[in-house]
Amino acid sequence: MQKRKANITELVLNIIIIVSATLSIGSFFFVAADALGAMGVIAFRYFTIDSNILMSIASICAIIWNIKNLKTEVEQPRWLMLLKLAGTTAVTVTFLTVVFFLAPMGALSHGWRGYLGLFYGNSFILHFTNPVLAIICFTILDKQKLEGKHLGFWGLLPTVLYSFAYVPCVIFLKIWPDFYGFTFGGNYAIAPISITVMYLFSYGLGAGLCRLRRGEKT
């Protein structure tokens, strides 16, 4: 009965994640968000958008399993758990990067408005609500064990793939501004350090989320 309740709750939260992400991202084609200030396809260059899309894909796949699990308890495929791990880690990277880096940097320039601006309107959903719901689903509601070595690499994967676009476009081609401030005002020599920190950060988050799954061994 407890597993059934957890499954139903996860189903509801997955639906919320998909609907809220779809509406929030869709708004970029009509009204520019206060925090990102980008419209149309330009919005897809932001990790915030891409991570929420990845999490939505994972949620869609999870919903199919949730529904099947309502009738007969079936084992969750490993690929789905790893996809959920990658998506959850990606939105958690978004959440923590905004809270501890981007928002404080904004506060230095614009005071408390610079901090809260990243949690206003659609940005609140993409930066906070969806990441929190994803963490709850992965660490609390998902009852199935996820075992294996170096699971943190699956959490690292979205960051690595995104860096393959961000680094060339910002540092080499210079067709994107450094909107995440990893070069600290154009100091490209520091970029390798920033990239390494983000890689380690993402790997650690992925491994940490696995260990938060009801204390199960990973």
Side-chain angles (χ1 to χ4, degrees):
M1 181 62 72
Q2 187 178 8
K3 286 186 177 181
R4 180 177 175 83
K5 289 182 178 179
N7 182 58
I8 294 174
T9 304
E10 185 181 355
L11 171 62
V12 172
L13 294 188
N14 279 321
I15 292 174
I16 293 174
I17 289 173
I18 294 168
V19 173
S20 60
T22 300
L23 294 176
S24 298
I25 295 173
S27 70
F28 284 90
F29 290 87
F30 302 98
V31 179
D34 291 338
L36 301 182
M39 293 190 70
V41 295
I42 295 177
F44 293 106
R45 68 186 183 183
Y46 291 96
F47 188 76
T48 294
I49 303 299
D50 300 333
S51 64
N52 274 271
I53 291 175
L54 176 60
M55 189 63 235
S56 297
I57 293 172
S59 293
I60 290 173
C61 296
I63 285 175
I64 296 173
W65 175 77
N66 290 142
I67 293 174
K68 289 182 178 179
N69 213 29
L70 289 175
K71 298 180 179 180
T72 305
E73 187 171 332
V74 292
E75 186 172 333
Q76 187 176 184
R78 181 174 175 80
W79 67 262
L80 176 55
M81 290 190 288
L82 294 177
L83 178 60
K84 289 162 65 175
L85 169 59
T88 303
T89 304
V91 292
T92 304
V93 168
T94 288
F95 169 53
L96 295 179
T97 300
V98 169
V99 170
F100 294 109
F101 182 70
L102 296 180
M105 292 287 285
L108 290 176
S109 302
H110 306 288
W112 65 271
R113 293 181 182 275
Y115 195 98
L116 296 181
L118 290 169
F119 295 100
Y120 177 80
N122 291 325
S123 293
F124 180 76
I125 294 173
L126 300 175
H127 290 156
F128 181 79
T129 304
N130 277 2
V132 170
L133 295 181
I135 293 170
I136 292 173
C137 287
F138 186 78
T139 62
I140 298 176
L141 299 176
D142 194 338
K143 303 293 184 178
Q144 190 171 321
K145 288 185 178 181
L146 176 58
E147 297 179 328
K149 296 181 179 179
H150 308 299
L151 291 173
F153 281 116
W154 291 96
L156 169 63
L157 186 59
T159 300
V160 171
L161 292 177
Y162 180 77
S163 70
F164 288 165
Y166 189 83
V167 172
C169 289
V170 171
I171 297 179
F172 300 111
L173 301 177
K174 295 182 173 59
I175 58 176
W176 290 0
D178 181 24
F179 39 80
Y180 285 124
F182 291 150
T183 63
F184 293 90
N187 184 6
Y188 297 120
I190 205 173
I193 298 176
S194 299
I195 295 169
T196 301
V197 169
M198 288 306 301
Y199 282 179
L200 294 174
F201 179 55
S202 300
Y203 179 90
L205 279 180
L209 286 169
C210 288
R211 293 193 175 278
L212 285 175
R213 291 169 60 92
R214 294 291 187 182
E216 295 171 352
K217 293 183 179 180
T218 60

